[in-house]
Amino acid sequence: MHETQPLRLLIIDDQADDREQIMRSLRKAFPGSVLHEITNQQEFDTALGQSPFEVVVAEYRLKWTDGLKVLKKIREHFPHRPVIWVSSTPLDGLIVAGMKAGLNDFVSKKQLQRLPKIVRNSLAQAEGHRAEAQAQQAVRVSAQRYRTISELTSDYAYLLRIEPDGRVICEWVDARFTDLTGYTLEALQCLGGWTRLIHYQDSSIASQRQPRWLAGQTDMSEFRIRTPSGEERWLRDYTCPVPDSNQAGVVHVYGAGQDITNRRRLEEPLRQAQKMEAIGRLAGGIAHDFNNVLQVISGYSDLLLRRLTWHRVPRQYVQEIKNVAEQGAVLTRQLMTLSRKPLLQPQVLDFKRIISNIIPILQRVLGEDIALITFVDTALGHVTADSGQLEQVILNLAVNARDAMPQGGRLTIEATNARVDTPLTSRLGGMAPGEYVKLAVSDTGSGIDPETQLHIFEPFFTTKEPGKGTGLGLFTVYGIVTQNGGNMQVQSAPGVGATFIIHLPRVKTPLKEAEVELAPQLALHGAETILLVEDEVVVRDLVRQVLQAAGYVVLEAANGEQALQLSTAHRGPIQLLLADVVLPGLSGPELAAQLASIRPGVRVIYMSGYAPDTLKRYRIPKGQYLFLQKPFAPVTLLANVREALDASQT
């Protein structure tokens, strides 16, 4: 992005010494960059209007304003321009407000060595946001075209009369109203009026309209209706009250509107994407940091288990530590799913086998006071998905059902083939007609009220007591289902239990037969020289110890620049580069590219606490590297090292 022109940054800080320290760090990391200093309000306003820039680095605590106001002002003009806060004092809850307002990141002035890395990450993030914004704009343009055409003419019209006692009587509807809703005037009068059509979840909208009419005010509302066939449609409805001759009260209300069902379906993915964006950014960062911690815990646990062969009690304690670390790794996979960066291995799956494999786990999770009943079609179709994700879907739904049945009950899992036709698709959220595998998970618990159902798939929404629920279980399930092209619905009412219904596209592709191949026994030791580059000291120490114990010569560096210096100073060969992907200064792939020009033939293994798709931004062809997802076991590390080194000899 910045090969043809220098990187331009706004540095907002009214403390000269601090400002100079920030600029020194950035000049070193970005040679030739243009740094524009801002020390007061006038300079800031001028820069917004006249000075082009790609990144803003701003002190939060300023004499003439604060970082949040600066951030909001920048967001008014530049929605996707990276903004990074710096401060010498803790900001605590202010960071949350900043993230909600569009802050990209924060760095303490005591850790300015992290600033270049954060700038690079923020630029990459902004580029992604711009691409997504363009895609969203295309959808909005499409929706706007539909909206413009719809508003040129009304799709229906009607006339209401307000009785002296406040009752609203429908006097007339046009033929298009009947075609759209399925109700004639006579049917409406028998039903009890036009507003009876409004979906119960939008009933509050209906109750707010009549006071406006009585006050002589026009109204525009959007709400859902249900047709006699059960189809759900969205309407944008305009009403205009007409006073009587002496202005004593309202006697008639004229109404007209458009069917906006298609527009609402277009906008729903955008609304969901906006919710998931903030959660995804947070979850991805947490998963990365957590994976580094787990790497150290699980790695040293493995090393201890190898040494405590005959010490039963200490070995048992260490094994428990390792087990907890493995549970933590499962949690990070969930976080990566939330960040829309899951470690997926999608393939054609036998859904019957997925269900049968998880039944024993469910029986342990549910306990003895909940009966588990399964009905699985013997001819159940195949689906394309990640097996671990499908197991997580069933497990999360089962745990949710268990919590709804504290006194015991019955959990029923039913899996069948289903064909979804066009009329049914509108009731199922607009999914495409076709062949599906239907999974229904039902419980006999307390049930879910209509208001809760409106928010049940939202992130962090929970009805459990504080400390007993994260609000991520059903959100995770919903994310997995939609990522795999499926649909999820809930049917429930208080006191009658709940049923979660999932439709996943059925595929006719046959199952791939597993190739049974005896893996060759790898010698997990060697004497080659490995250049290890990792910025987390505890992780680097662990990896170095594992490699040295296996006989390898290890050159270790904390960043790319240090690694290149070590390579230059080292007289002997370096057979392998083992590098973290995201590093201060040069990234792992950038380091590998420079090292390859100095030492052709050097093999590369990348490791990261982020998901593997972090490497996509670097456009490295597959087959030119191996990837280790943190946390990894020492034996996995040694096996990958040996595989990479042996491949260089073939």
Side-chain angles (χ1 to χ4, degrees), residues 167 169 222 257 262 276 356 378 404 513 599 613:
R167 289 183 299 121
I169 308 298
E222 293 185 3
N262 290 337
M276 294 185 69
S356 63
T378 55
E513 295 294 331
R599 295 177 177 269
D613 61 1

Side-chain angles (χ1 to χ4, degrees), residues 211-223:
R212 295 194 187 103
W213 297 337
L214 294 173
Q217 299 174 359
T218 59
D219 177 78
M220 189 284 292
S221 298
E222 293 185 3
F223 48 76

Side-chain angles (χ1 to χ4, degrees), residues 48-63:
L48 284 182
Q50 298 179 3
S51 301
F53 57 91
E54 282 82 36
V55 182
V56 178
V57 179
E59 162 67 56
Y60 182 85
R61 305 185 190 281
L62 298 164
K63 296 176 182 177

Side-chain angles (χ1 to χ4, degrees), residues 451-519:
E451 179 63 26
T452 300
Q453 290 182 43
L454 288 174
H455 308 284
I456 199 167
F457 299 128
E458 294 180 1
F460 301 122
F461 178 81
T462 179
T463 58
K464 298 176 183 177
E465 298 175 15
K468 293 189 176 181
T470 63
L472 294 178
L474 289 177
F475 175 62
T476 301
V477 170
Y478 183 84
I480 292 172
V481 171
T482 54
Q483 283 170 11
N484 287 284
N487 176 274
M488 185 172 180
Q489 302 285 327
V490 59
Q491 297 176 355
S492 182
V496 297
T499 299
F500 289 89
I501 300 173
I502 292 171
H503 286 83
L504 290 171
R506 181 156 40 126
V507 297
K508 296 182 180 180
T509 309
L511 293 174
K512 182 179 180 181
E513 295 294 331
E515 298 181 2
V516 180
E517 181 179 339
L518 295 176

Side-chain angles (χ1 to χ4, degrees), residues 55-265:
V55 182
V56 178
V57 179
E59 162 67 56
Y60 182 85
R61 305 185 190 281
L62 298 164
K63 296 176 182 177
W64 43 278
T65 186
D66 61 59
L68 189 58
K69 292 177 181 176
V70 167
L71 171 63
K72 290 179 178 179
K73 192 70 176 177
I74 291 171
R75 285 288 167 262
E76 290 177 8
H77 296 80
F78 307 101
H80 306 295
R81 205 61 52 87
V83 178
I84 300 163
W85 280 351
V86 294
S87 182
S88 56
T89 59
L91 298 182
D92 300 330
L94 295 172
I95 298 297
V96 176
M99 296 301 284
K100 289 180 179 179
L103 179 68
N104 290 78
D105 215 324
F106 163 77
V107 61
S108 169
K109 287 184 178 178
K110 298 176 182 178
Q111 297 178 322
L112 283 180
Q113 70 276 11
R114 296 179 54 236
L115 183 57
K117 175 181 176 181
I118 289 174
V119 169
R120 287 190 177 90
N121 290 346
S122 297
L123 284 168
Q125 189 181 77
E127 191 65 32
H129 289 170
R130 274 190 288 271
E132 185 172 351
Q134 289 173 354
Q136 291 180 351
Q137 179 62 20
V139 175
R140 280 193 289 269
V141 168
S142 176
Q144 183 61 38
R145 289 196 191 106
Y146 174 83
R147 188 180 301 114
T148 302
I149 294 172
S150 295
E151 292 179 355
L152 288 174
T153 59
S154 296
D155 292 337
Y156 61 87
Y158 59 92
L159 176 64
L160 306 177
R161 183 182 76 252
I162 300 180
E163 295 289 304
D165 60 4
R167 289 183 299 121
V168 180
I169 308 298
C170 191
E171 283 193 347
W172 168 82
V173 298
D174 67 359
R176 291 175 298 175
F177 181 96
T178 300
D179 292 340
L180 177 65
T181 66
Y183 286 94
T184 62
L185 177 62
E186 293 74 18
L188 276 178
Q189 291 172 339
C190 292
L191 187 66
W194 155 213
T195 55
R196 298 280 186 176
L197 300 183
I198 297 178
H199 195 286
Y200 71 91
Q201 292 178 347
D202 296 334
S203 59
S204 61
I205 297 175
S207 65
Q208 294 167 9
R209 304 178 85 202
Q210 189 166 336
R212 295 194 187 103
W213 297 337
L214 294 173
Q217 299 174 359
T218 59
D219 177 78
M220 189 284 292
S221 298
E222 293 185 3
F223 48 76
R224 289 165 290 177
I225 64 165
R226 282 199 180 277
T227 66
S229 65
E231 182 183 8
E232 184 179 288
R233 303 203 68 80
W234 276 95
L235 303 181
R236 169 178 276 186
D237 195 69
Y238 302 88
T239 51
C240 177
V242 180
D244 63 12
S245 57
N246 59 10
Q247 302 291 312
V250 177
V251 292
H252 284 99
V253 177
Y254 288 94
Q258 292 93 36
D259 177 4
I260 59 169
T261 305
N262 290 337
R263 193 206 80 187
R264 294 290 298 203
R265 288 173 182 165

Side-chain angles (χ1 to χ4, degrees), residues 352-366:
K352 296 196 305 292
R353 187 177 302 170
I354 296 291
I355 296 172
S356 63
N357 287 346
I358 202 170
I359 290 301
I361 299 174
L362 296 183
Q363 289 170 335
R364 290 195 296 272
V365 168
L366 295 174

Side-chain angles (χ1 to χ4, degrees), residues 318-479:
V318 176
Q319 184 63 54
E320 286 300 320
I321 295 172
K322 179 174 171 57
N323 292 343
V324 171
E326 290 173 350
Q327 293 174 18
V330 172
L331 176 59
T332 62
R333 285 195 290 273
Q334 278 190 293
L335 289 172
M336 287 179 177
T337 299
L338 295 181
S339 70
R340 297 179 294 175
K341 297 178 181 178
L343 306 177
L344 301 182
Q345 294 181 336
Q347 56 187 307
V348 178
L349 299 174
D350 180 354
F351 209 176
K352 296 196 305 292
R353 187 177 302 170
I354 296 291
I355 296 172
S356 63
N357 287 346
I358 202 170
I359 290 301
I361 299 174
L362 296 183
Q363 289 170 335
R364 290 195 296 272
V365 168
L366 295 174
E368 297 179 355
D369 57 348
I370 296 179
L372 176 61
I373 301 171
T374 58
F375 298 99
V376 181
D377 189 336
T378 55
L380 192 65
H382 300 156
V383 298
T384 299
D386 176 82
S387 60
Q389 281 199 325
L390 290 188
E391 290 172 352
Q392 185 178 350
V393 164
I394 299 172
L395 183 60
N396 282 16
L397 291 176
V399 169
N400 214 56
R402 178 199 64 190
D403 293 343
M405 299 184 287
Q407 308 302 321
R410 183 175 65 255
L411 177 68
T412 304
I413 297 177
E414 184 176 3
T416 58
N417 295 320
R419 176 166 182 79
V420 178
D421 54 18
T422 302
L424 185 58
T425 59
S426 61
R427 294 202 296 270
L428 294 177
M431 58 190 288
E435 301 291 335
Y436 290 82
V437 170
K438 176 183 176 183
L439 174 69
V441 179
S442 306
D443 64 62
T444 57
S446 54
I448 309 168
D449 62 73
E451 179 63 26
T452 300
Q453 290 182 43
L454 288 174
H455 308 284
I456 199 167
F457 299 128
E458 294 180 1
F460 301 122
F461 178 81
T462 179
T463 58
K464 298 176 183 177
E465 298 175 15
K468 293 189 176 181
T470 63
L472 294 178
L474 289 177
F475 175 62
T476 301
V477 170
Y478 183 84

